[in-house]
Amino acid sequence: MQTPLSKKDRMKIPRQPMPEQDPDVRNKNFLEVNLGYTEELAVLEAQRCLQCPKPFCVDGCPVGVQIKDFISLVAEGKIAEAAAKIKEDNVLPAVCGRVCPQEEQCEIKCVVGNKNEPVAIGRLERFVADYEREKLGMRLPVCKPKTGKKVAIVGSGPAGLSCAADCIQAGHGVTVFEALHEIGGVLLYGIPEFRLPKDIVKVEVQALEELGVEFRTNAVIGFTDSIDELLTVEGYDAVFIAVGAGLPYFMNIPGENLNGVYSANEFLTRVNLMKAYDFPNHDTPVFDCKGKSVAIFGGGNTAMDAVRTSKRLGAKNAYIVYRRSEIEMPARAEEVHHAKQEGIEFQLLTNPIEFVGTEEGWLTGVKLLKMELGEPDASGRRKPIPIKDSEFILPIDMAVIAIGNGSNPIIQKTTPGLEFNKWGNIVVNSETMLTSREGVFAGGDIVTGGATVILAMGAGRKAAKAINEYLFNKE
Amino acid sequence: MNKIIESKFLAKDVKRFVIEAPKIAAKRKPGQFVIVRSNSKGERIPLTIADSDLEKGTITIIVQGIGKSTKEINSFNSGDFFHDVVGPLGQPSHLENFGTAVSIGGGVGAAIAYPTAVGLKQAGNHTISIVGARTKDLVILEEEMRANVDEVYITTDDGSYGFHGFVTQQLQKLIDDGRKIDFVLAIGPIPMMRAIAETTRPYNIKTVVSLNPIMVDGTGMCGGCRATVDNKTVFVCVDGPEFDAHKVDFDLLIKRNKTYTQSEKTAVEHFHQCHYDKVFDLAISENKS
Ligand SMILES: Cc1cc2nc3c(=O)[nH]c(=O)nc-3n(C[C@H](O)[C@H](O)[C@H](O)COP(=O)(O)OP(=O)(O)OC[C@H]3O[C@@H](n4cnc5c(N)ncnc54)[C@H](O)[C@@H]3O)c2cc1C
Ligand SMILES: Cc1cc2nc3c(=O)[nH]c(=O)nc-3n(C[C@H](O)[C@H](O)[C@H](O)COP(=O)(O)OP(=O)(O)OC[C@H]3O[C@@H](n4cnc5c(N)ncnc54)[C@H](O)[C@@H]3O)c2cc1C
Ligand code: SF4
Ligand code: SF4
Ligand code: FES
């Protein structure tokens, strides 16, 4: 069905835009912003790929998705085959196609980008995964015969889920322990519905259940069972720790405990996991943003998610307050662009020094200081320096602190002999993800610090490979 | 899902539940708590583990119905299920032989103080318990306390039972009588805990309180439960819930617990109050029969 196009013709096709909800409509609802390619758009976009003999794009993908091959299949209209091709390397394509920072991974390496805009690899990946899920139905992989060995996975984020997928296929019994009452980690409680619909995560989890993975929610490892008890009393042969980076940083400035000051984790958990946007149909409340002024402190994906969420909850003025300039923002370009479209105001090169509030303890504003950029610092980014006498007060009713997460100390405190670095991250062998304890592996944000979904997923798969080898050799 | 094996009102709006939770029963130590959700849309509600039975694989919780979620919980009966129960959470109480240890429970705080009082006894202390309530009908766990600690004092605000006055006055009386007190644990409404802290401060008696901020996850992930102790921010769910009473900023805790006052009203209006009252009356008559 495909007419072979010349390279020149291919180069003439413009990058196909992502259909999306109108900014003025979507900033009042929690439905997904991006609507996804139609099959026509996807095939057209796939034809932009030059099928390079040396596909540099693949080098940019942390898990080496065979981009050239799957795109070629899309161009031929063979979507089911394309899906299978992607899944050889990426078990969560519907998620990664949505939230990967493609513009700085696979797409930045795409040669089409040297002259024109790069091939929209992420959008195609998303299209293929959605098409498979919605039109073809998820096909379950075949599991190897049972080995009789059991693997315990602690944490149900992308690292834990991908490790579970590979271990169950290798024939082991797999149990995933999750502290919260639902499965999915940050995919569920952190990243909002309008960027990653929760049904997508649920379908992935169901598929794992059908393969035989057992999910135990409400199990805080360290409290409910320790890692050692999993290995001894509970009889697991190996453990994979994938507990993420779950400790919110605060700024340690005066007034931070006023009512209305949230960590991003709390704000997003209330809205996403506890569904506070549907209060009082769901019981959990969150700050009533309607008609209020709110400020989110930080410049990453988390900050963008929080500010766009507050807008959807009805905030009149929703600010991003960031101490560097826009170029230094770690958030994905797409998220910043979407935020601006939705009416988010950016207070760049400003740094908070104090929260101010009423006698009764309610936040009324934040004292900000203007900054200018100096010499590059250790991270290579230009260091913000305060400008003298530039203080001013921004009146706000709610503040969300989104300056990053450290590692939650529960596992560290309850697992003797497990080696951690000074930031509280678990030390592992980078090839096998093996920790300092025999049979105990770790991966994802608890090893790297806050990173990305695709890296966590890659770590989960690496660990699964090593666990399978370890269990094969074990007695 | 955790099944309710037994349920019984101890006083108006205060109900005791024995629920199936074998893992938690095996693990829990005095001072620890669980977080429960009553239904799939429910809030995560922290509740102290009042007791446990290792053999039966059950834990006991005692719930005061004050808002939407706790009232809904108190409409549950044996045979019903909690949607989620997670725990045991928090640091266990620090138990050692201090000498003479007084545990003070105001209102439903008596339920929270009970397991630690028992633990203090087992640690070898001479144990005194002060159970306070507004009025006679609201006194809970008197029998259990009498069975497990050395001396029990009851106080009621209206004088309908026991000592007429507040728990602080009873404590002051013991101090004035020349009793040597080495340790005080106080659990109850925040103003009560603050008053106890002020009572013991001049005598330098080691005093511990159990804080009850609003929580979400209970694992140190959200920071919503933060309080100020010794001028430092703590996360009560993982660093506590028990802290040195002389170092807690009670003012802040009171203010922070008012964060959702407005929403709570909405929630209660949304909840079928009539339904609950009917269930309560029914249960009272059952208990009596
Ligand atoms: C708001 C937000 C937006 C983000 N946006 C993006 C994005 O657009 N693109 C991107 O690539 N990345 C994004 N990230 C980062 C990405 O989500 C994480 O890097 C990734 O989820 C890490 O995966 P993980 O499996 O290591 O841990 P997590 O996803 O954090 O999962 C860990 C799980 O372990 C559970 N757990 C913790 N302790 C215990 C315990 N003791 N016992 C049992 N269970 C436990 C937790 O409850 C959690 O469910 C974002 C992060 C946040 C917070
Ligand atoms: C570690 C811990 C242990 C606890 N143990 C018990 C227990 O054993 N038995 C028991 O009955 N209660 C206990 N509580 C208190 C219980 O969790 C709250 O009463 C409950 O969350 C209120 O929920 P609600 O929706 O019914 O009321 P809401 O409608 O949320 O609140 C009603 C009123 O209570 C106040 N309030 C809100 N949250 C709390 C809170 N966490 N603590 C105290 N007051 C609050 C509000 O300011 C409001 O005035 C404990 C709390 C903590 C943190
Ligand atoms: S997984 Fe992410 S980086 Fe890899 S190809 Fe897909 S979108 Fe690109
Ligand atoms: S680099 Fe770009 S053009 Fe080349 S194969 Fe990869 S996606 Fe196609
Ligand atoms: S309840 Fe979330 S950190 Fe304590």
Side-chain angles (χ1 to χ4, degrees):
Chain A
M1 76 190 231
Q2 182 205 18
T3 34
L5 292 176
S6 70
K7 189 173 163 187
K8 227 168 129 199
D9 287 340
R10 288 171 189 268
M11 291 292 278
K12 273 193 204 141
I13 309 171
R15 180 169 156 120
Q16 296 305 302
M18 173 64 95
E20 56 188 35
Q21 276 196 71
D22 182 79
D24 232 16
V25 174
R26 71 180 191 235
N27 65 11
K28 295 170 193 68
N29 70 43
F30 277 87
L31 302 175
E32 195 176 7
V33 168
N34 290 335
L35 300 172
Y37 278 164
T38 58
E39 192 171 350
E40 290 70 38
L41 283 177
V43 170
L44 194 60
E45 181 65 31
Q47 287 171 350
R48 296 182 64 229
C49 170
L50 305 178
Q51 293 294 311
C52 306
K54 255 201 177 161
F56 289 116
C57 51
V58 179
D59 300 337
C61 173
V63 298
V65 167
Q66 299 161 69
I67 298 167
K68 170 183 162 179
D69 301 341
F70 100 75
I71 293 186
S72 152
L73 290 163
V74 175
E76 292 169 41
K78 294 182 181 159
I79 313 299
E81 288 85 342
K85 184 55 79 188
I86 296 174
K87 283 203 170 162
E88 284 177 26
D89 302 288
N90 180 352
V91 285
L92 298 170
V95 176
C96 294
R98 285 173 165 81
V99 304
C100 251
Q102 295 112 12
E103 63 281 358
E104 51 191 65
Q105 294 184 352
C106 49
E107 291 181 14
I108 201 172
K109 299 273 171 107
C110 170
V111 295
V112 177
N114 296 343
K115 270 197 176 158
N116 298 329
E117 282 188 280
V119 174
I121 301 168
R123 293 173 185 175
L124 287 172
E125 186 170 304
R126 169 197 161 129
F127 164 77
V128 170
D130 286 357
Y131 188 96
E132 184 192 33
R133 189 181 64 251
E134 288 161 9
K135 303 244 165 75
L136 306 172
M138 295 273 268
R139 278 156 316 151
L140 296 180
V142 185
C143 296
K144 293 221 176 95
K146 284 284 160 221
T147 61
K149 303 263 167 66
K150 293 203 302 179
V151 182
I153 292 173
V154 185
S156 68
L161 292 180
S162 56
C163 185
D166 286 359
C167 285
I168 195 92
Q169 285 177 54
H172 310 306
V174 178
T175 312
V176 178
F177 296 88
E178 168 55 51
L180 293 169
H181 56 265
E182 282 194 51
I183 298 295
V186 170
L187 305 183
L188 206 82
Y189 75 71
I191 305 180
E193 181 79 15
F194 58 81
R195 214 147 65 76
L196 177 64
K198 303 304 155 219
D199 281 347
I200 290 173
V201 182
K202 293 220 166 94
V203 169
E204 298 293 345
V205 173
Q206 266 163 19
L208 289 176
E209 265 174 346
E210 279 173 46
L211 289 178
V213 174
E214 187 194 346
F215 288 100
R216 289 224 196 122
T217 50
N218 298 317
V220 188
I221 300 306
F223 282 123
T224 314
D225 273 310
S226 65
I227 298 285
D228 285 282
E229 282 163 332
L230 291 177
L231 288 167
T232 55
V233 187
E234 301 292 323
Y236 288 95
D237 301 286
V239 176
F240 178 55
I241 305 175
V243 293
L247 179 83
Y249 285 142
F250 284 90
M251 297 186 292
N252 297 319
I253 59 174
E256 211 158 19
N257 291 341
L258 286 163
N259 288 351
V261 182
Y262 287 87
S263 76
N265 282 2
E266 181 183 2
F267 181 67
L268 291 170
T269 300
R270 282 180 176 271
V271 179
N272 295 328
L273 178 73
M274 306 309 296
K275 308 222 172 348
Y277 60 83
D278 188 31
F279 179 85
N281 283 321
H282 282 75
D283 292 343
T284 305
V286 69
F287 186 87
D288 185 359
C289 294
K290 266 182 230 87
K292 304 280 174 54
S293 295
V294 311
I296 283 66
F297 298 84
N301 285 323
T302 310
M304 295 308 140
D305 284 345
V307 77
R308 296 170 71 198
T309 297
S310 69
K311 191 77 189 175
R312 283 161 173 76
L313 292 172
K316 186 165 70 151
N317 304 301
Y319 307 101
I320 282 282
V321 178
Y322 183 56
R323 63 198 184 113
R324 303 180 197 242
S325 70
E326 190 172 328
I327 326 168
E328 286 88 17
M329 278 199 174
R332 295 187 53 201
E334 183 184 13
E335 307 312 327
V336 177
H337 170 70
H338 276 155
K340 284 186 178 162
Q341 282 183 322
E342 288 167 13
I344 308 302
E345 297 160 63
F346 285 70
Q347 291 272 352
L348 301 172
L349 287 165
T350 36
N351 204 26
I353 47 177
E354 181 180 351
F355 290 109
V356 291
T358 64
E359 279 286 295
E360 292 77 40
W362 285 92
L363 178 72
T364 54
V366 56
K367 201 181 274 176
L368 298 170
L369 197 58
K370 285 267 172 217
M371 313 291 274
E372 59 191 350
L373 289 179
E375 296 298 311
D377 65 8
S379 73
R381 295 183 297 182
R382 291 178 63 192
K383 198 181 156 119
I385 307 168
I387 301 174
K388 259 213 171 119
D389 300 326
S390 65
E391 278 174 42
F392 68 106
I393 289 197
L394 180 72
I396 50 169
D397 308 287
M398 182 186 81
V400 177
I401 297 161
I403 57 168
N405 284 308
S407 10
N408 189 306
I410 291 180
I411 297 289
Q412 182 165 12
K413 283 188 182 157
T414 54
T415 318
L418 193 61
E419 196 190 332
F420 287 80
N421 68 16
K422 64 175 172 179
W423 296 283
N425 299 120
I426 300 178
V427 177
V428 298
N429 172 321
S430 61
E431 286 308 307
T432 61
M433 312 312 279
L434 179 65
T435 67
S436 56
R437 291 276 311 263
E438 193 199 330
V440 179
F441 301 76
D445 281 4
I446 185 60
V447 167
T448 55
T452 58
V453 172
I454 189 70
L455 283 173
M457 206 209 71
R461 301 204 71 192
K462 246 192 209 172
K465 192 161 164 270
I467 289 172
N468 293 338
E469 271 165 32
Y470 169 73
L471 293 183
F472 184 77
N473 295 325
K474 199 180 166 192
E475 36 84 66
Chain B
M1 298 282 249
N2 299 63
K3 189 170 178 181
I4 300 172
I5 305 297
E6 244 180 81
S7 70
K8 187 182 171 188
F9 275 102
L10 301 180
K12 181 161 170 34
D13 289 341
V14 179
K15 198 165 183 178
R16 178 172 59 200
F17 296 95
V18 177
I19 52 185
E20 252 174 20
K23 271 247 125 102
I24 303 174
K27 272 276 155 128
R28 74 99 191 179
K29 297 208 176 77
Q32 289 188 299
F33 62 98
V34 287
I35 287 186
V36 309
R37 287 201 320 148
S38 50
N39 63 66
S40 64
K41 293 179 176 179
E43 228 176 328
R44 295 172 62 94
I45 299 290
L47 298 164
T48 304
I49 306 167
D51 210 343
S52 62
D53 187 324
L54 197 60
E55 259 166 46
K56 296 201 182 104
T58 58
I59 58 168
T60 303
I61 52 173
I62 297 174
V63 186
Q64 182 177 29
I66 53 166
K68 146 99 213 274
S69 301
T70 45
K71 285 183 179 184
E72 183 176 10
I73 290 171
N74 279 359
S75 74
F76 283 3
N77 289 308
S78 30
D80 290 342
F81 287 85
F82 280 97
H83 200 279
D84 300 282
V85 178
V86 57
L89 300 170
Q91 301 302 323
S93 305
H94 175 75
L95 298 172
E96 66 169 73
N97 190 350
F98 298 100
T100 298
V102 182
S103 54
I104 306 171
V108 78
I112 304 175
Y114 172 71
T116 306
V118 176
L120 286 166
K121 172 74 194 164
Q122 283 163 357
N125 290 278
H126 177 79
T127 45
I128 301 175
S129 180
I130 305 176
V131 177
R134 264 186 289 121
T135 185
K136 184 174 184 214
D137 291 346
L138 296 178
V139 173
I140 58 168
L141 298 183
E142 183 185 349
E143 267 171 53
E144 286 86 345
M145 284 289 192
R146 288 202 190 281
N148 285 291
V149 304
D150 299 311
E151 292 173 54
V152 176
Y153 297 90
I154 310 286
T155 70
T156 50
D157 299 2
D158 65 358
S160 52
Y161 187 46
F163 175 86
H164 184 170
F166 299 126
V167 286
T168 38
Q169 293 169 296
Q170 178 64 62
L171 176 66
Q172 186 67 54
K173 203 161 160 277
L174 290 172
I175 297 171
D176 293 345
D177 288 349
R179 299 292 299 265
K180 189 180 149 297
I181 295 170
D182 304 292
F183 177 80
V184 169
L185 167 77
I187 304 175
I190 303 167
M192 178 213 112
M193 295 194 283
R194 177 165 52 191
I196 296 284
E198 290 322 312
T199 307
T200 59
R201 197 191 299 274
Y203 306 98
N204 249 326
I205 301 171
K206 185 176 164 65
T207 305
V208 162
V209 287
S210 178
L211 304 186
N212 57 350
I214 297 166
M215 294 186 176
V216 184
D217 56 298
T219 65
M221 179 272 275
C222 78
C225 63
R226 59 198 191 278
T228 304
V229 179
D230 206 9
N231 293 317
K232 283 196 274 297
T233 293
V234 295
F235 289 1
V236 172
C237 68
V238 282
D239 300 328
E242 290 179 5
F243 295 96
D244 182 342
H246 298 144
K247 296 188 174 149
V248 170
D249 181 343
F250 288 106
D251 255 0
L252 178 76
L253 185 62
I254 292 179
K255 288 174 188 163
R256 284 188 62 79
N257 271 5
K258 288 190 181 135
T259 304
Y260 301 102
T261 313
Q262 196 47 48
S263 327
E264 283 152 9
K265 282 195 193 120
T266 316
V268 172
E269 280 159 24
H270 187 76
F271 183 56
H272 312 288
Q273 181 64 44
C274 52
H275 162 72
Y276 166 72
D277 281 346
K278 215 165 50 209
V279 171
F280 172 74
D281 293 340
L282 210 101
I284 282 286
S285 57
E286 272 175 11
N287 280 350
K288 284 190 178 139
S289 62

